[in-house]
Amino acid sequence: MGDEAVREVLALSGRAMPLLREWTAGQPRYGVARALLMLATGDRLGEAALKDELVIAYEDAQAAGAREASLVYGVFLSVLRQYRLAADHLVAHFAQWPADEVAGLMLDAFHACGDPAYRERGDALIEEQYVRAGPDSWAWAGWLAWARVEAGRVEEAHELAGRALILNPRAGVAVHARAHAEHELGAGPAASAALDRWLADDPRALQFRHLNWHAALQSIACGDFPDARRRADAVLADSDVGMRAATNWRLLLVGQEPAGRTDLARVRGLLAAPGGMAEVFHTFNLALALAVEAATDDLRALARRAAGDPRAEYREALAPVAEALAHLTAGRPAAAVDLLTALGEGVERIGGVRVEREIVQDTLARALADAGEHVRAADLLHRRTATRRHHTYERLLAEAPAAPVPAPAP
């Protein structure tokens, strides 16, 4: 049971959660099973309940052995968002248990730190573990493909993802990495069709909604805006505030009707809730949701709040982005241009991954075009239009808008 459950978790399969629950129920004193269940579902528990579960898991894991205790301790740090400590722990864990695939489930800690040095350290670690695991490890090939695409080594990432999918056609990390690579390549309808075929074999796949979001981005890239709206409305849940906002803001930037919106009161509630601004990337997504609703005053308030935050990434990255969105929704594109141009590479401090941060460049291109600086907008997007096979979206960004941006919510 344990080996099968771990394989399905590594594949991000629709069978993963039922098998994890069955494994935990069948071996309630096996700490690794309980910890992996918490890694997958811990965001639904309060912090106190989550800590209680992990303390039990750790005590049980200590009885099972040193590797088990180390794995559970890594989960403990990861789910409680102690990302630097988790990353440091993983370095020590892999030194003792090289290429441990279960530990690979926590590799996100290196990027979640928001520190470029940690990101580089994590990428180097993945490369080392891939070599140690050998070329037949589909799990490590998938993780290395992910690291490659985030480093901008798109062709290598695409090849590695393909290799992982030959070894295991249901490799979830690999298909996700391939989706990111194909976004960078502008693969268009071919990429969406491949994702649809992959998802058809497992409609309960843990990434079902997220991979549909990637397919919607491919539809936007090639100008099939009705398909993007259809996917957002048919697949994204009310809780998918970030993906819905990222889809709709892109549609609005090129003068298109958005998909179904997120209720503005819900966005305000998420910002005001305890922990609403605990992570900068989550807060950035809420800013996009406010922009979709043309909530200029809310964006100004968020910008002021971020500017007064003791955390540098909020002051120096989120605050100017939120203020720029406020200017753009209020019809002041030149002011948005100044803020986003000054931000430059600092946008990486917002967190997320390349495709998620790219929307800031989209917003700058739209602001430039709205300010009448179409040549600058085209120059900004030149790398994308020169390397992507489908780039209707980029062309529209650099042109005069077909409608005001954004359209106010009804």
Side-chain angles (χ1 to χ4, degrees), residues 79-215:
V79 298
L80 294 178
R81 299 175 180 173
Q82 301 298 311
Y83 296 124
R84 287 175 183 264
L85 293 176
D88 292 338
H89 177 73
L90 285 173
V91 171
H93 181 93
F94 284 119
Q96 191 164 0
W97 295 282
D100 187 336
E101 291 180 345
V102 178
L105 293 167
M106 294 171 263
L107 287 167
D108 284 350
F110 288 94
H111 278 237
C113 290
D115 184 334
Y118 269 84
R119 184 170 65 243
E120 291 174 11
R121 190 180 181 190
D123 290 351
L125 182 71
I126 291 170
E127 178 116 33
E128 178 186 345
Q129 302 311 306
Y130 173 72
V131 171
R132 287 175 174 267
D136 292 335
S137 172
W138 57 269
W140 282 105
W143 286 318
L144 185 57
W146 181 261
R148 289 282 191 266
V149 78
E150 280 304 290
R153 298 163 65 175
V154 179
E155 298 287 354
E156 293 176 52
H158 199 269
E159 182 182 348
L160 274 164
R163 187 182 308 166
L165 288 164
I166 289 171
L167 293 166
N168 178 7
R170 301 309 306 167
V173 173
V175 81
H176 189 194
R178 186 180 66 180
H180 278 249
E182 291 186 336
H183 177 83
E184 299 283 350
L185 296 168
S192 297
L195 286 172
D196 286 339
R197 288 192 298 271
W198 193 86
L199 290 168
D201 288 338
D202 186 4
R204 296 188 303 163
L206 298 182
Q207 302 177 97
F208 187 86
R209 300 203 302 269
H210 188 72
L211 291 178
N212 261 285
W213 176 73
H214 275 285

Side-chain angles (χ1 to χ4, degrees), residues 125-316:
L125 182 71
I126 291 170
E127 178 116 33
E128 178 186 345
Q129 302 311 306
Y130 173 72
V131 171
R132 287 175 174 267
D136 292 335
S137 172
W138 57 269
W140 282 105
W143 286 318
L144 185 57
W146 181 261
R148 289 282 191 266
V149 78
E150 280 304 290
R153 298 163 65 175
V154 179
E155 298 287 354
E156 293 176 52
H158 199 269
E159 182 182 348
L160 274 164
R163 187 182 308 166
L165 288 164
I166 289 171
L167 293 166
N168 178 7
R170 301 309 306 167
V173 173
V175 81
H176 189 194
R178 186 180 66 180
H180 278 249
E182 291 186 336
H183 177 83
E184 299 283 350
L185 296 168
S192 297
L195 286 172
D196 286 339
R197 288 192 298 271
W198 193 86
L199 290 168
D201 288 338
D202 186 4
R204 296 188 303 163
L206 298 182
Q207 302 177 97
F208 187 86
R209 300 203 302 269
H210 188 72
L211 291 178
N212 261 285
W213 176 73
H214 275 285
L217 295 191
Q218 292 287 0
S219 295
I220 290 173
C222 60
D224 189 354
F225 304 118
D227 184 68
R229 285 192 290 270
R230 176 189 66 79
R231 289 181 185 274
D233 286 336
V235 178
L236 297 185
D238 286 344
S239 59
D240 297 322
V241 175
M243 287 189 288
R244 187 175 293 280
T247 303
N248 280 336
W249 185 240
R250 283 174 168 90
L251 289 168
L252 287 164
L253 287 175
V254 290
Q256 297 295 315
E257 284 296 316
R261 290 174 154 119
T262 301
D263 181 64
L264 185 55
R266 174 177 172 77
V267 181
R268 288 169 173 158
L270 288 169
L271 273 171
M277 289 184 65
E279 293 186 346
V280 67
F281 183 67
H282 170 72
T283 315
F284 166 68
N285 279 324
L286 295 180
L288 289 178
L290 293 174
V292 168
E293 299 306 322
T296 304
D297 290 343
D298 293 84
L299 284 165
R300 286 176 183 148
L302 177 59
R304 289 193 297 271
R305 188 174 170 188
D309 196 285
R311 294 164 291 186
E313 62 270 27
Y314 283 76
R315 295 192 312 273
E316 297 167 13

Side-chain angles (χ1 to χ4, degrees), residues 45-96:
L45 297 177
E47 186 172 320
L50 182 58
K51 284 181 177 178
D52 288 344
E53 289 289 328
L54 289 170
V55 166
I56 294 170
Y58 186 65
E59 290 173 351
D60 291 341
Q62 284 181 304
R67 172 180 170 266
E68 288 79 2
S70 179
L71 285 171
V72 174
Y73 186 60
V75 172
F76 187 95
L77 295 172
S78 294
V79 298
L80 294 178
R81 299 175 180 173
Q82 301 298 311
Y83 296 124
R84 287 175 183 264
L85 293 176
D88 292 338
H89 177 73
L90 285 173
V91 171
H93 181 93
F94 284 119
Q96 191 164 0

